[in-house]
mmCIF file of all heavy atoms in Angstrom:
data_model
loop_
_atom_site.group_PDB
_atom_site.id
_atom_site.type_symbol
_atom_site.label_atom_id
_atom_site.label_comp_id
_atom_site.label_asym_id
_atom_site.label_seq_id
_atom_site.Cartn_x
_atom_site.Cartn_y
_atom_site.Cartn_z
ATOM 1 N N GLY A 2 -44.960 -58.917 160.667
ATOM 2 C CA GLY A 2 -45.489 -57.785 159.925
ATOM 3 C C GLY A 2 -46.940 -57.493 160.235
ATOM 4 O O GLY A 2 -47.347 -56.322 160.304
ATOM 5 N N ASP A 3 -47.747 -58.540 160.457
ATOM 6 C CA ASP A 3 -49.179 -58.311 160.692
ATOM 7 C C ASP A 3 -49.540 -58.253 162.180
ATOM 8 O O ASP A 3 -50.706 -58.165 162.546
ATOM 9 C CB ASP A 3 -50.042 -59.342 159.959
ATOM 10 C CG ASP A 3 -49.847 -60.776 160.443
ATOM 11 O OD1 ASP A 3 -49.472 -60.985 161.620
ATOM 12 O OD2 ASP A 3 -50.075 -61.710 159.648
ATOM 13 N N GLY A 4 -48.531 -58.305 163.037
ATOM 14 C CA GLY A 4 -48.762 -58.083 164.458
ATOM 15 C C GLY A 4 -49.118 -59.298 165.279
ATOM 16 O O GLY A 4 -49.422 -59.178 166.471
ATOM 17 N N ARG A 5 -49.084 -60.486 164.686
ATOM 18 C CA ARG A 5 -49.384 -61.681 165.475
ATOM 19 C C ARG A 5 -48.303 -61.954 166.511
ATOM 20 O O ARG A 5 -48.555 -62.598 167.542
ATOM 21 C CB ARG A 5 -49.541 -62.897 164.551
ATOM 22 C CG ARG A 5 -50.896 -63.000 163.875
ATOM 23 C CD ARG A 5 -50.927 -64.175 162.923
ATOM 24 N NE ARG A 5 -50.157 -63.920 161.710
ATOM 25 C CZ ARG A 5 -49.678 -64.857 160.908
ATOM 26 N NH1 ARG A 5 -49.859 -66.142 161.218
ATOM 27 N NH2 ARG A 5 -49.010 -64.531 159.821
ATOM 28 N N VAL A 6 -47.075 -61.532 166.226
ATOM 29 C CA VAL A 6 -45.970 -61.690 167.171
ATOM 30 C C VAL A 6 -45.205 -60.379 167.264
ATOM 31 O O VAL A 6 -45.338 -59.489 166.403
ATOM 32 C CB VAL A 6 -45.004 -62.831 166.757
ATOM 33 C CG1 VAL A 6 -45.713 -64.166 166.749
ATOM 34 C CG2 VAL A 6 -44.360 -62.551 165.399
ATOM 35 N N GLN A 7 -44.364 -60.273 168.282
ATOM 36 C CA GLN A 7 -43.545 -59.075 168.466
ATOM 37 C C GLN A 7 -42.097 -59.283 168.048
ATOM 38 O O GLN A 7 -41.328 -58.317 167.985
ATOM 39 C CB GLN A 7 -43.593 -58.645 169.934
ATOM 40 C CG GLN A 7 -44.954 -58.130 170.379
ATOM 41 C CD GLN A 7 -45.041 -57.942 171.874
ATOM 42 O OE1 GLN A 7 -45.443 -58.859 172.597
ATOM 43 N NE2 GLN A 7 -44.647 -56.788 172.357
ATOM 44 N N ALA A 8 -41.732 -60.529 167.776
ATOM 45 C CA ALA A 8 -40.350 -60.806 167.396
ATOM 46 C C ALA A 8 -40.260 -62.141 166.668
ATOM 47 O O ALA A 8 -41.141 -62.998 166.797
ATOM 48 C CB ALA A 8 -39.446 -60.831 168.632
ATOM 49 N N VAL A 9 -39.191 -62.288 165.911
ATOM 50 C CA VAL A 9 -38.836 -63.555 165.276
ATOM 51 C C VAL A 9 -37.428 -63.885 165.733
ATOM 52 O O VAL A 9 -36.553 -63.001 165.759
ATOM 53 C CB VAL A 9 -38.874 -63.453 163.738
ATOM 54 C CG1 VAL A 9 -38.420 -64.767 163.101
ATOM 55 C CG2 VAL A 9 -40.268 -63.079 163.256
ATOM 56 N N THR A 10 -37.182 -65.141 166.091
ATOM 57 C CA THR A 10 -35.826 -65.508 166.491
ATOM 58 C C THR A 10 -35.350 -66.734 165.726
ATOM 59 O O THR A 10 -36.063 -67.722 165.582
ATOM 60 C CB THR A 10 -35.719 -65.762 168.013
ATOM 61 O OG1 THR A 10 -34.355 -66.042 168.343
ATOM 62 C CG2 THR A 10 -36.607 -66.905 168.470
ATOM 63 N N THR A 11 -34.161 -66.606 165.196
ATOM 64 C CA THR A 11 -33.426 -67.702 164.558
ATOM 65 C C THR A 11 -32.009 -67.201 164.298
ATOM 66 O O THR A 11 -31.586 -66.183 164.869
ATOM 67 C CB THR A 11 -34.121 -68.197 163.274
ATOM 68 O OG1 THR A 11 -33.426 -69.381 162.830
ATOM 69 C CG2 THR A 11 -34.103 -67.165 162.175
ATOM 70 N N ASP A 12 -31.281 -67.871 163.418
ATOM 71 C CA ASP A 12 -29.891 -67.514 163.189
ATOM 72 C C ASP A 12 -29.770 -66.138 162.540
ATOM 73 O O ASP A 12 -30.576 -65.762 161.677
ATOM 74 C CB ASP A 12 -29.224 -68.570 162.308
ATOM 75 C CG ASP A 12 -29.324 -69.954 162.935
ATOM 76 O OD1 ASP A 12 -29.555 -70.038 164.157
ATOM 77 O OD2 ASP A 12 -29.187 -70.943 162.201
ATOM 78 N N ASN A 13 -28.727 -65.405 162.936
ATOM 79 C CA ASN A 13 -28.566 -64.014 162.504
ATOM 80 C C ASN A 13 -28.545 -63.858 160.983
ATOM 81 O O ASN A 13 -29.173 -62.934 160.446
ATOM 82 C CB ASN A 13 -27.311 -63.399 163.127
ATOM 83 C CG ASN A 13 -26.080 -64.281 163.035
ATOM 84 O OD1 ASN A 13 -26.062 -65.306 162.351
ATOM 85 N ND2 ASN A 13 -25.032 -63.894 163.735
ATOM 86 N N VAL A 14 -27.852 -64.764 160.280
ATOM 87 C CA VAL A 14 -27.766 -64.608 158.824
ATOM 88 C C VAL A 14 -29.097 -64.878 158.144
ATOM 89 O O VAL A 14 -29.405 -64.297 157.104
ATOM 90 C CB VAL A 14 -26.667 -65.520 158.227
ATOM 91 C CG1 VAL A 14 -25.286 -64.992 158.566
ATOM 92 C CG2 VAL A 14 -26.824 -66.957 158.694
ATOM 93 N N VAL A 15 -29.914 -65.751 158.735
ATOM 94 C CA VAL A 15 -31.250 -66.005 158.200
ATOM 95 C C VAL A 15 -32.102 -64.748 158.357
ATOM 96 O O VAL A 15 -32.812 -64.324 157.439
ATOM 97 C CB VAL A 15 -31.902 -67.205 158.913
ATOM 98 C CG1 VAL A 15 -33.357 -67.370 158.487
ATOM 99 C CG2 VAL A 15 -31.118 -68.482 158.634
ATOM 100 N N LEU A 16 -32.013 -64.128 159.517
ATOM 101 C CA LEU A 16 -32.763 -62.897 159.760
ATOM 102 C C LEU A 16 -32.280 -61.764 158.860
ATOM 103 O O LEU A 16 -33.094 -60.977 158.357
ATOM 104 C CB LEU A 16 -32.644 -62.498 161.233
ATOM 105 C CG LEU A 16 -33.258 -63.484 162.237
ATOM 106 C CD1 LEU A 16 -32.975 -63.042 163.661
ATOM 107 C CD2 LEU A 16 -34.750 -63.654 162.011
ATOM 108 N N LEU A 17 -30.977 -61.679 158.641
ATOM 109 C CA LEU A 17 -30.452 -60.650 157.732
ATOM 110 C C LEU A 17 -31.033 -60.818 156.331
ATOM 111 O O LEU A 17 -31.319 -59.831 155.648
ATOM 112 C CB LEU A 17 -28.920 -60.718 157.677
ATOM 113 C CG LEU A 17 -28.169 -60.107 158.861
ATOM 114 C CD1 LEU A 17 -26.689 -60.441 158.772
ATOM 115 C CD2 LEU A 17 -28.369 -58.602 158.922
ATOM 116 N N GLY A 18 -31.193 -62.061 155.914
ATOM 117 C CA GLY A 18 -31.794 -62.316 154.604
ATOM 118 C C GLY A 18 -33.231 -61.831 154.544
ATOM 119 O O GLY A 18 -33.654 -61.220 153.554
ATOM 120 N N LEU A 19 -34.004 -62.069 155.611
ATOM 121 C CA LEU A 19 -35.384 -61.598 155.657
ATOM 122 C C LEU A 19 -35.443 -60.074 155.689
ATOM 123 O O LEU A 19 -36.288 -59.462 155.030
ATOM 124 C CB LEU A 19 -36.086 -62.180 156.891
ATOM 125 C CG LEU A 19 -36.285 -63.699 156.904
ATOM 126 C CD1 LEU A 19 -36.791 -64.156 158.267
ATOM 127 C CD2 LEU A 19 -37.242 -64.143 155.805
ATOM 128 N N ILE A 20 -34.536 -59.461 156.426
ATOM 129 C CA ILE A 20 -34.487 -57.998 156.502
ATOM 130 C C ILE A 20 -34.154 -57.399 155.142
ATOM 131 O O ILE A 20 -34.700 -56.371 154.744
ATOM 132 C CB ILE A 20 -33.473 -57.556 157.579
ATOM 133 C CG1 ILE A 20 -34.002 -57.915 158.972
ATOM 134 C CG2 ILE A 20 -33.182 -56.059 157.489
ATOM 135 C CD1 ILE A 20 -32.966 -57.819 160.074
ATOM 136 N N SER A 21 -33.258 -58.084 154.392
ATOM 137 C CA SER A 21 -32.855 -57.567 153.080
ATOM 138 C C SER A 21 -34.022 -57.540 152.098
ATOM 139 O O SER A 21 -34.020 -56.757 151.147
ATOM 140 C CB SER A 21 -31.713 -58.422 152.505
ATOM 141 O OG SER A 21 -32.180 -59.684 152.040
ATOM 142 N N ARG A 22 -35.025 -58.365 152.334
ATOM 143 C CA ARG A 22 -36.202 -58.405 151.458
ATOM 144 C C ARG A 22 -37.277 -57.408 151.885
ATOM 145 O O ARG A 22 -38.246 -57.196 151.163
ATOM 146 C CB ARG A 22 -36.795 -59.816 151.439
ATOM 147 C CG ARG A 22 -35.843 -60.891 150.932
ATOM 148 C CD ARG A 22 -36.541 -62.219 150.816
ATOM 149 N NE ARG A 22 -37.491 -62.234 149.707
ATOM 150 C CZ ARG A 22 -38.361 -63.217 149.487
ATOM 151 N NH1 ARG A 22 -38.418 -64.243 150.311
ATOM 152 N NH2 ARG A 22 -39.190 -63.169 148.462
ATOM 153 N N ASN A 23 -37.098 -56.819 153.063
ATOM 154 C CA ASN A 23 -38.095 -55.891 153.604
ATOM 155 C C ASN A 23 -37.404 -54.641 154.132
ATOM 156 O O ASN A 23 -37.441 -54.356 155.341
ATOM 157 C CB ASN A 23 -38.885 -56.574 154.729
ATOM 158 C CG ASN A 23 -39.641 -57.794 154.268
ATOM 159 O OD1 ASN A 23 -40.749 -57.711 153.773
ATOM 160 N ND2 ASN A 23 -39.024 -58.976 154.426
ATOM 161 N N PRO A 24 -36.732 -53.884 153.275
ATOM 162 C CA PRO A 24 -35.952 -52.728 153.741
ATOM 163 C C PRO A 24 -36.802 -51.715 154.487
ATOM 164 O O PRO A 24 -37.892 -51.355 154.049
ATOM 165 C CB PRO A 24 -35.398 -52.134 152.440
ATOM 166 C CG PRO A 24 -36.295 -52.653 151.361
ATOM 167 C CD PRO A 24 -36.725 -54.007 151.811
ATOM 168 N N GLY A 25 -36.274 -51.311 155.659
ATOM 169 C CA GLY A 25 -36.963 -50.314 156.456
ATOM 170 C C GLY A 25 -38.074 -50.850 157.327
ATOM 171 O O GLY A 25 -38.626 -50.113 158.145
ATOM 172 N N LYS A 26 -38.412 -52.114 157.182
ATOM 173 C CA LYS A 26 -39.550 -52.684 157.906
ATOM 174 C C LYS A 26 -39.122 -53.383 159.191
ATOM 175 O O LYS A 26 -39.791 -53.266 160.227
ATOM 176 C CB LYS A 26 -40.301 -53.661 157.001
ATOM 177 C CG LYS A 26 -41.637 -54.141 157.560
ATOM 178 C CD LYS A 26 -42.392 -54.963 156.509
ATOM 179 C CE LYS A 26 -43.757 -55.401 157.043
ATOM 180 N NZ LYS A 26 -44.511 -56.188 156.031
ATOM 181 N N TYR A 27 -38.016 -54.126 159.123
ATOM 182 C CA TYR A 27 -37.526 -54.873 160.264
ATOM 183 C C TYR A 27 -36.074 -54.504 160.565
ATOM 184 O O TYR A 27 -35.381 -53.936 159.725
ATOM 185 C CB TYR A 27 -37.600 -56.387 159.991
ATOM 186 C CG TYR A 27 -38.951 -56.897 159.559
ATOM 187 C CD1 TYR A 27 -39.093 -57.675 158.415
ATOM 188 C CD2 TYR A 27 -40.092 -56.617 160.307
ATOM 189 C CE1 TYR A 27 -40.331 -58.150 158.015
ATOM 190 C CE2 TYR A 27 -41.338 -57.089 159.920
ATOM 191 C CZ TYR A 27 -41.453 -57.857 158.766
ATOM 192 O OH TYR A 27 -42.670 -58.323 158.382
ATOM 193 N N LYS A 28 -35.628 -54.898 161.764
ATOM 194 C CA LYS A 28 -34.228 -54.701 162.125
ATOM 195 C C LYS A 28 -33.741 -55.876 162.966
ATOM 196 O O LYS A 28 -34.548 -56.600 163.580
ATOM 197 C CB LYS A 28 -34.034 -53.391 162.890
ATOM 198 C CG LYS A 28 -34.665 -53.372 164.271
ATOM 199 C CD LYS A 28 -34.447 -52.041 164.979
ATOM 200 C CE LYS A 28 -35.102 -52.048 166.370
ATOM 201 N NZ LYS A 28 -34.926 -50.748 167.065
ATOM 202 N N LEU A 29 -32.429 -56.053 162.988
ATOM 203 C CA LEU A 29 -31.795 -57.088 163.802
ATOM 204 C C LEU A 29 -31.428 -56.468 165.149
ATOM 205 O O LEU A 29 -30.826 -55.387 165.199
ATOM 206 C CB LEU A 29 -30.540 -57.611 163.098
ATOM 207 C CG LEU A 29 -29.888 -58.864 163.660
ATOM 208 C CD1 LEU A 29 -30.764 -60.085 163.398
ATOM 209 C CD2 LEU A 29 -28.517 -59.083 163.021
ATOM 210 N N VAL A 30 -31.775 -57.141 166.232
ATOM 211 C CA VAL A 30 -31.404 -56.644 167.557
ATOM 212 C C VAL A 30 -29.882 -56.620 167.701
ATOM 213 O O VAL A 30 -29.300 -55.722 168.299
ATOM 214 C CB VAL A 30 -32.071 -57.499 168.656
ATOM 215 C CG1 VAL A 30 -31.506 -57.168 170.027
ATOM 216 C CG2 VAL A 30 -33.580 -57.268 168.637
ATOM 217 N N GLY A 31 -29.221 -57.645 167.137
ATOM 218 C CA GLY A 31 -27.759 -57.652 167.137
ATOM 219 C C GLY A 31 -27.137 -58.169 168.413
ATOM 220 O O GLY A 31 -26.023 -57.775 168.772
ATOM 221 N N LYS A 32 -27.828 -59.069 169.099
ATOM 222 C CA LYS A 32 -27.299 -59.676 170.328
ATOM 223 C C LYS A 32 -27.406 -61.200 170.215
ATOM 224 O O LYS A 32 -28.328 -61.823 170.740
ATOM 225 C CB LYS A 32 -28.092 -59.176 171.534
ATOM 226 C CG LYS A 32 -27.953 -57.693 171.829
ATOM 227 C CD LYS A 32 -26.606 -57.368 172.435
ATOM 228 C CE LYS A 32 -26.513 -55.876 172.755
ATOM 229 N NZ LYS A 32 -27.421 -55.465 173.828
ATOM 230 N N SER A 33 -26.446 -61.805 169.518
ATOM 231 C CA SER A 33 -26.460 -63.261 169.368
ATOM 232 C C SER A 33 -26.287 -63.922 170.736
ATOM 233 O O SER A 33 -25.493 -63.467 171.562
ATOM 234 C CB SER A 33 -25.335 -63.712 168.430
ATOM 235 O OG SER A 33 -25.560 -63.237 167.131
ATOM 236 N N PHE A 34 -27.013 -65.007 170.969
ATOM 237 C CA PHE A 34 -26.933 -65.678 172.265
ATOM 238 C C PHE A 34 -26.632 -67.171 172.148
ATOM 239 O O PHE A 34 -26.680 -67.892 173.150
ATOM 240 C CB PHE A 34 -28.210 -65.439 173.078
ATOM 241 C CG PHE A 34 -29.506 -65.767 172.376
ATOM 242 C CD1 PHE A 34 -30.091 -67.022 172.516
ATOM 243 C CD2 PHE A 34 -30.133 -64.817 171.584
ATOM 244 C CE1 PHE A 34 -31.286 -67.317 171.883
ATOM 245 C CE2 PHE A 34 -31.338 -65.102 170.956
ATOM 246 C CZ PHE A 34 -31.913 -66.360 171.100
ATOM 247 N N THR A 35 -26.305 -67.642 170.949
ATOM 248 C CA THR A 35 -25.869 -69.033 170.766
ATOM 249 C C THR A 35 -24.850 -69.094 169.636
ATOM 250 O O THR A 35 -24.638 -68.107 168.921
ATOM 251 C CB THR A 35 -27.036 -69.967 170.365
ATOM 252 O OG1 THR A 35 -27.473 -69.621 169.038
ATOM 253 C CG2 THR A 35 -28.193 -69.878 171.335
ATOM 254 N N GLN A 36 -24.240 -70.248 169.473
ATOM 255 C CA GLN A 36 -23.450 -70.566 168.284
ATOM 256 C C GLN A 36 -24.129 -71.726 167.573
ATOM 257 O O GLN A 36 -24.497 -72.721 168.217
ATOM 258 C CB GLN A 36 -22.011 -70.942 168.642
ATOM 259 C CG GLN A 36 -21.136 -69.744 168.973
ATOM 260 C CD GLN A 36 -19.664 -70.098 168.895
ATOM 261 O OE1 GLN A 36 -19.264 -71.226 169.191
ATOM 262 N NE2 GLN A 36 -18.850 -69.148 168.495
ATOM 263 N N GLU A 37 -24.306 -71.592 166.251
ATOM 264 C CA GLU A 37 -25.031 -72.585 165.468
ATOM 265 C C GLU A 37 -24.143 -73.089 164.319
ATOM 266 O O GLU A 37 -24.055 -72.467 163.273
ATOM 267 C CB GLU A 37 -26.314 -71.975 164.894
ATOM 268 C CG GLU A 37 -27.227 -71.331 165.926
ATOM 269 C CD GLU A 37 -27.784 -72.319 166.935
ATOM 270 O OE1 GLU A 37 -27.921 -73.508 166.585
ATOM 271 O OE2 GLU A 37 -28.071 -71.908 168.071
ATOM 272 N N PRO A 38 -23.456 -74.226 164.519
ATOM 273 C CA PRO A 38 -22.623 -74.778 163.444
ATOM 274 C C PRO A 38 -23.478 -75.491 162.403
ATOM 275 O O PRO A 38 -24.142 -76.484 162.716
ATOM 276 C CB PRO A 38 -21.699 -75.760 164.178
ATOM 277 C CG PRO A 38 -22.480 -76.169 165.397
ATOM 278 C CD PRO A 38 -23.355 -75.008 165.770
ATOM 279 N N TYR A 39 -23.468 -74.991 161.168
ATOM 280 C CA TYR A 39 -24.263 -75.598 160.106
ATOM 281 C C TYR A 39 -23.528 -76.798 159.517
ATOM 282 O O TYR A 39 -22.351 -76.695 159.132
ATOM 283 C CB TYR A 39 -24.515 -74.592 158.986
ATOM 284 C CG TYR A 39 -25.476 -73.476 159.319
ATOM 285 C CD1 TYR A 39 -25.661 -72.428 158.429
ATOM 286 C CD2 TYR A 39 -26.199 -73.461 160.500
ATOM 287 C CE1 TYR A 39 -26.542 -71.381 158.714
ATOM 288 C CE2 TYR A 39 -27.084 -72.434 160.789
ATOM 289 C CZ TYR A 39 -27.252 -71.394 159.900
ATOM 290 O OH TYR A 39 -28.117 -70.375 160.176
ATOM 291 N N GLY A 40 -24.233 -77.919 159.437
ATOM 292 C CA GLY A 40 -23.649 -79.120 158.861
ATOM 293 C C GLY A 40 -24.465 -79.637 157.692
ATOM 294 O O GLY A 40 -25.578 -79.185 157.423
ATOM 295 N N ILE A 41 -23.898 -80.598 156.989
ATOM 296 C CA ILE A 41 -24.571 -81.281 155.883
ATOM 297 C C ILE A 41 -25.096 -82.606 156.419
ATOM 298 O O ILE A 41 -24.323 -83.488 156.805
ATOM 299 C CB ILE A 41 -23.604 -81.506 154.707
ATOM 300 C CG1 ILE A 41 -23.100 -80.156 154.183
ATOM 301 C CG2 ILE A 41 -24.280 -82.303 153.589
ATOM 302 C CD1 ILE A 41 -22.057 -80.270 153.092
ATOM 303 N N GLY A 42 -26.421 -82.733 156.460
ATOM 304 C CA GLY A 42 -27.035 -83.939 157.000
ATOM 305 C C GLY A 42 -26.968 -85.096 156.022
ATOM 306 O O GLY A 42 -27.286 -84.940 154.843
ATOM 307 N N LEU A 43 -26.555 -86.270 156.511
ATOM 308 C CA LEU A 43 -26.354 -87.455 155.682
ATOM 309 C C LEU A 43 -26.951 -88.687 156.373
ATOM 310 O O LEU A 43 -27.151 -88.692 157.596
ATOM 311 C CB LEU A 43 -24.859 -87.693 155.452
ATOM 312 C CG LEU A 43 -24.044 -86.510 154.914
ATOM 313 C CD1 LEU A 43 -22.564 -86.801 155.016
ATOM 314 C CD2 LEU A 43 -24.450 -86.202 153.487
ATOM 315 N N LYS A 44 -27.202 -89.718 155.575
ATOM 316 C CA LYS A 44 -27.752 -90.954 156.137
ATOM 317 C C LYS A 44 -26.748 -91.563 157.116
ATOM 318 O O LYS A 44 -25.549 -91.628 156.838
ATOM 319 C CB LYS A 44 -28.072 -91.945 155.025
ATOM 320 C CG LYS A 44 -28.971 -93.084 155.479
ATOM 321 C CD LYS A 44 -29.634 -93.779 154.308
ATOM 322 C CE LYS A 44 -30.715 -94.737 154.769
ATOM 323 N NZ LYS A 44 -31.414 -95.379 153.646
ATOM 324 N N LYS A 45 -27.248 -92.013 158.232
ATOM 325 C CA LYS A 45 -26.375 -92.529 159.275
ATOM 326 C C LYS A 45 -25.682 -93.811 158.820
ATOM 327 O O LYS A 45 -26.305 -94.694 158.245
ATOM 328 C CB LYS A 45 -27.206 -92.804 160.530
ATOM 329 C CG LYS A 45 -26.387 -92.841 161.806
ATOM 330 C CD LYS A 45 -27.283 -92.722 163.026
ATOM 331 C CE LYS A 45 -26.452 -92.701 164.301
ATOM 332 N NZ LYS A 45 -25.569 -91.536 164.382
ATOM 333 N N GLY A 46 -24.370 -93.871 159.060
ATOM 334 C CA GLY A 46 -23.616 -95.089 158.821
ATOM 335 C C GLY A 46 -22.824 -95.151 157.534
ATOM 336 O O GLY A 46 -21.974 -96.035 157.392
ATOM 337 N N ASP A 47 -23.074 -94.237 156.576
ATOM 338 C CA ASP A 47 -22.303 -94.249 155.336
ATOM 339 C C ASP A 47 -21.061 -93.365 155.528
ATOM 340 O O ASP A 47 -20.979 -92.237 155.038
ATOM 341 C CB ASP A 47 -23.141 -93.753 154.157
ATOM 342 C CG ASP A 47 -22.491 -94.052 152.805
ATOM 343 O OD1 ASP A 47 -21.267 -94.315 152.783
ATOM 344 O OD2 ASP A 47 -23.192 -94.014 151.774
ATOM 345 N N ASP A 48 -20.102 -93.909 156.269
ATOM 346 C CA ASP A 48 -18.922 -93.126 156.634
ATOM 347 C C ASP A 48 -18.076 -92.733 155.426
ATOM 348 O O ASP A 48 -17.435 -91.678 155.429
ATOM 349 C CB ASP A 48 -18.059 -93.909 157.629
ATOM 350 C CG ASP A 48 -18.737 -94.074 158.988
ATOM 351 O OD1 ASP A 48 -19.658 -93.282 159.278
ATOM 352 O OD2 ASP A 48 -18.347 -94.985 159.746
ATOM 353 N N ALA A 49 -18.078 -93.570 154.397
ATOM 354 C CA ALA A 49 -17.281 -93.249 153.201
ATOM 355 C C ALA A 49 -17.829 -92.001 152.515
ATOM 356 O O ALA A 49 -17.057 -91.139 152.069
ATOM 357 C CB ALA A 49 -17.283 -94.437 152.239
#
């Protein structure tokens, strides 16, 4: 917004959330270039 950068990149749904808070200010390019599977991070070794 203040011009320090020309773009922001991260997951599409995260960007959609930011756009929803700033209507008319930003837009999504709409060209996804990765797949990002979201997981629940847990302590290693507690398989149960």
Side-chain angles (χ1 to χ4, degrees):
D3 64 27
R5 280 177 286 159
V6 297
Q7 292 170 269
V9 177
T10 183
T11 188
D12 303 340
N13 47 10
V14 287
V15 173
L16 296 175
L17 282 171
L19 294 171
I20 291 167
S21 74
R22 300 186 71 189
N23 299 275
K26 190 173 182 179
Y27 307 128
K28 68 180 180 181
L29 191 70
V30 170
K32 294 286 182 67
S33 294
F34 52 93
T35 68
Q36 283 198 327
E37 306 296 332
Y39 289 173
I41 299 176
L43 307 168
K44 195 161 190 177
K45 202 164 182 64
D47 193 342
D48 292 340

